[in-house]
Structures are given as C-alpha cells and as structure tokens.
C-alpha cells in the first residue's frame, strides 16, 4: 500500500510541476485545463487558446464601456464642431463673391487650404499614405475639395443662402444612404424614420423660406449634394485607418496640380475687388471650411460612425440661416424655431438608436 501511494504521489507531483511547453514559454499564455480551442478541439495542458479577434463593427470589449462612451462623446463633440464650422460656409462664400469670381474663389480657397495642409504634413514629416488609400483620397478630393465648393459657389451667384440650404437639408440622409452601400452600415428602422423626418422638416422649411421657387441653380445644388455625400462617406471610411486630418490634407495636396493652374487662370480672366468681406470670406473658406472643419468632422465620423455623424448636419441649414441674418442681413421667418425644435428631436433620436 505504501509503495502504491508513493507512486501515486510522485505521479501527481510530476504532472503539477511539468515545465511549460515551447508553445507557452516566454509568451505569457496561460495553460488551458479543460478549455476548448477556437477550432473546436479540446485544448491540452500547456496549449494556449487565442481569443477570437473582434469582428469589424463589434462593440467595445467587456470592461471598456466607460472608455467607449467617453470616445463616443468626444466624437459627437468633434462632429458637432464640424457642423458649426460648415454652417458658415455659405455666408463666407457670399462674402467671397463680393471680391472674387466663382472660379477664382474656388481655386484660391483650395490652394490656400492645400498650403496649410501641406505645411502641417511637412512639419510633422508624415509619410505618404499606402497605395491602396489613394483611390479613396481621390474620391474625397473630387467630392469635398473640388466638386462641392465649385457647384455651390456657382449656385450662390443666383441663389440665396436660404435656398442653397436645401442641399444641406438632404445631405445627412444622402450620406447615410451612401454609407450603407459603401461601408455596410446598417442603422435601425427608427434611425431611418428619424432621418427621413428630419430631412423632410429641413427641406419644407428651406423651400418655404425661399418662396418655393426652383431656379437654374438647383441643378448645381443637387449635383453638389451627391458629390459631397460621396466625399464624406469615403473620408469617414479612411479616417478609421489613418488620422482624420491627414485624409483631408492629402486630398488637398492631391488637387494642387489642378487647383494651382485653375486659380492662376481664373484670376487672370475674372475681376478681383479685394475688400474686408471678400478677404475674410476666402480665409474662412480655406482655413475653416476646407481644412480645420474637415479635420474634426472626419475624426467625429470615425468615432461615432458615418450615419450618426451625418444626422448632426440636420442642424446646419438652421445655423446657416442664423448666420445669414447676422452677417448678410437676410430675414428669418417665425417658422425657424419650430423647425429647429423638430430637427433637434430627430437628431436626438438618431443619436440614441443602435447601429
């Protein structure tokens, strides 16, 4: 009996004190006692089991809820700041048109913004993006650097800022639709219902504000709507794999071979009458709307998702109308506060929905 007990004890000790295998030595992986490996086989002692990587779009890991909420709040604030900056774009464009022609204004603002962006890239010694990112940057460049500024500037030659706000009223819904197609975003039905309601409220208000008349500028405005939504969607996607400010910075630099000769040619053929308004307008468009606003906007989209960030722009037409009253002397109807309340409710719903 003693010999048998001694053998048993020695066997138990040998199992307990077995050294780690080469698979676990030096890696810090814990041995698995009775656990199952990811491939479904029973794990043996000393064999590490790798935790499955979270799928794209999964929620935060357990225990990190507070950090995820903090990140979401930060993204919400950044996207909201971008909306405030963008809301001054149409009034600033109207000021810029007091001293520049439409083609010269677009060229000058793009070149100035590229100089700021290029200076930041050089100062921080940022390496060029990987080759696979350049097609997406080209979409951003065509959408938000060239297309939207040019088309809205041409429209504002004959349209008021109130009427042009129809574009921004439809932009959140269009961006959410494109993000569903491009990056596979799948918001809930409640989200889509609130987004449609908010878009309808904004469009109804802005059409009523402009008298309900459709002009030739509407072709420019709806074209701007489509190209800008594409640029926002692609930029928001890229901002998940590279810093948001680098997305717009490289897009601006990418356009220099077009914007520099375009600006020089336009300045030679279109008259320039510099004044306080025109200078302030072009500087805001270059530094604010074209660069800094895009920086915080793309960072916010990367943090809270493209669909939710896009719905914050439902407030942009109303903010634009406020700036139009304060800076351009345009009149505001009593329907503005009612529409503002409806839009804020829709924004709150879209931000609280899942997906």
């Amino acid at each position: 009996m003693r010999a048998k007990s001694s053998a048993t004890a020695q066997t138990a000790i040998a199992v307990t004190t077995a050294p780690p295998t080469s698979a676990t030595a030096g890696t810090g992986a814990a041995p698995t006692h009775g656990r199952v490996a990811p491939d479904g086989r029973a794990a043996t002692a000393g064999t590490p089991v790798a935790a499955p990587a979270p799928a794209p779009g999964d929620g935060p890991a357990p225990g990190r809820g507070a950090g995820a909420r903090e990140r979401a709040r930060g993204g919400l604030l950044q996207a909201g700041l971008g909306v405030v900056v963008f809301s001054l774009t149409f009034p600033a464009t109207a000021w810029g048109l007091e001293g520049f022609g439409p083609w010269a204004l677009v060229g000058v603002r793009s070149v100035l913004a590229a100089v700021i962006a290029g200076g930041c890239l050089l100062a921080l010694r940022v390496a060029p993006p990987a080759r696979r990112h350049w097609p997406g940057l080209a979409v951003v460049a065509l959408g938000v650097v060239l297309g939207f500024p040019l088309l809205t500037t041409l429209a504002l030659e004959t349209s008021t800022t109130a009427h042009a706000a129809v574009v921004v009223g439809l932009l959140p819904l269009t961006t959410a639709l494109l993000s569903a197609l491009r990056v596979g975003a799948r918001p809930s039905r409640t989200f889509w219902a609130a987004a449609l309601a908010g878009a309808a409220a904004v469009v109804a208000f802005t059409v009523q504000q402009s008298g309900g008349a459709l002009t030739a500028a509407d072709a420019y405005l709806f074209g701007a709507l489509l190209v800008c939504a594409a640029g926002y969607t692609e930029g928001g996607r890229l901002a998940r794999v590279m810093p948001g400010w680098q997305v717009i910075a490289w897009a601006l630099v990418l356009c220099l071979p077009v914007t520099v000769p375009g600006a020089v040619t336009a300045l030679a053929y279109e008259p320039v009458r510099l004044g306080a308004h025109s200078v302030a307008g072009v500087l805001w468009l270059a530094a604010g709307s074209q660069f800094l606003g895009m920086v915080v906007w793309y960072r916010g989209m990367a943090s809270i998702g493209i669909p939710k960030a896009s719905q914050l722009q439902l407030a942009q037409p109303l903010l634009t109308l406020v700036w139009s009253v304060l800076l351009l002397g345009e009149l505001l109807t009593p329907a503005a506060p009612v529409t503002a309340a409806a839009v804020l409710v829709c924004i709150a719903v879209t931000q609280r929905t899942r997906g």
Side-chain angles (χ1 to χ4, degrees):
M1 289 297 295
R2 289 183 180 178
K4 184 176 181 181
S5 300
S6 175
T8 304
Q10 291 175 359
T11 302
I13 293 174
V15 171
T16 305
T17 61
T21 64
S22 59
T24 58
T27 62
T32 58
H33 299 286
R35 290 157 59 184
V36 180
D39 58 2
R41 296 175 300 175
T44 58
T47 302
V49 176
D58 283 354
R64 298 183 182 179
R69 287 192 295 270
E70 187 67 26
R71 183 170 179 267
R73 281 195 293 267
L76 188 66
L77 289 175
Q78 290 181 93
L81 179 57
V83 170
V84 174
V85 173
F86 296 154
S87 69
L88 279 161
T89 298
F90 286 170
T93 301
W95 273 11
L97 287 173
E98 294 179 12
F100 295 89
W103 294 88
L105 179 61
V106 173
V108 169
R109 67 179 274 185
S110 298
V111 171
L112 289 178
V115 170
I116 298 173
C120 293
L121 292 172
L122 288 175
L124 297 176
R125 299 181 180 180
V126 178
R131 183 178 299 178
R132 67 181 183 275
H133 297 321
W134 284 107
L137 290 171
V139 174
V140 175
L142 292 173
V144 303
V145 177
L146 297 177
F148 186 80
L150 178 59
L151 293 173
T152 54
T153 300
L154 292 173
L156 285 172
E157 281 197 297
T158 58
S159 175
T160 64
T161 56
H163 187 76
V166 172
V167 174
V168 182
L170 292 174
L171 186 56
L173 180 60
T174 308
T175 304
L177 287 171
L178 287 182
S179 72
L181 297 174
R182 179 67 179 90
V183 301
R186 293 293 182 269
S188 64
R189 293 181 180 179
T190 303
F191 173 93
W192 288 117
L196 286 169
V202 171
V203 170
F205 173 71
T206 50
V207 169
Q208 183 272 336
Q209 184 80 359
S210 61
L214 297 178
T215 67
D218 290 318
Y220 293 130
L221 295 174
F222 285 107
L225 165 70
L226 294 176
V227 298
C228 188
Y232 280 173
T233 300
E234 198 64 22
R237 184 189 68 83
L238 287 173
R240 295 180 178 180
V241 296
M242 58 190 297
W245 75 271
Q246 292 183 24
V247 173
I248 187 61
W250 286 115
L252 287 164
V253 171
L254 184 64
C255 289
L256 279 176
V258 176
T259 55
V260 169
V264 172
T265 303
L267 288 172
Y269 283 93
E270 292 179 343
V272 176
R273 298 176 297 274
L274 294 180
H277 280 183
S278 61
V279 172
V282 73
L283 289 178
W284 178 263
L285 291 172
S289 302
Q290 197 78 74
F291 183 59
L292 296 177
M294 288 293 181
V295 170
V296 293
W297 175 243
Y298 282 144
R299 290 186 65 180
M301 293 182 91
S303 296
I304 65 176
I306 298 173
K308 287 190 175 184
S310 67
Q311 298 313 299
L312 294 176
Q313 282 196 306
L314 287 171
Q316 186 171 325
L318 303 175
L319 291 173
T320 296
L321 293 176
V322 171
W323 297 125
S324 300
V325 171
L326 297 177
L327 301 177
L328 304 177
E330 295 184 6
L331 298 178
L332 198 63
T333 65
V338 177
T339 307
V343 165
L344 290 176
V345 171
C346 293
I347 291 176
V349 173
T350 61
Q351 298 308 304
R352 292 181 66 86
T353 56
R354 294 180 60 86

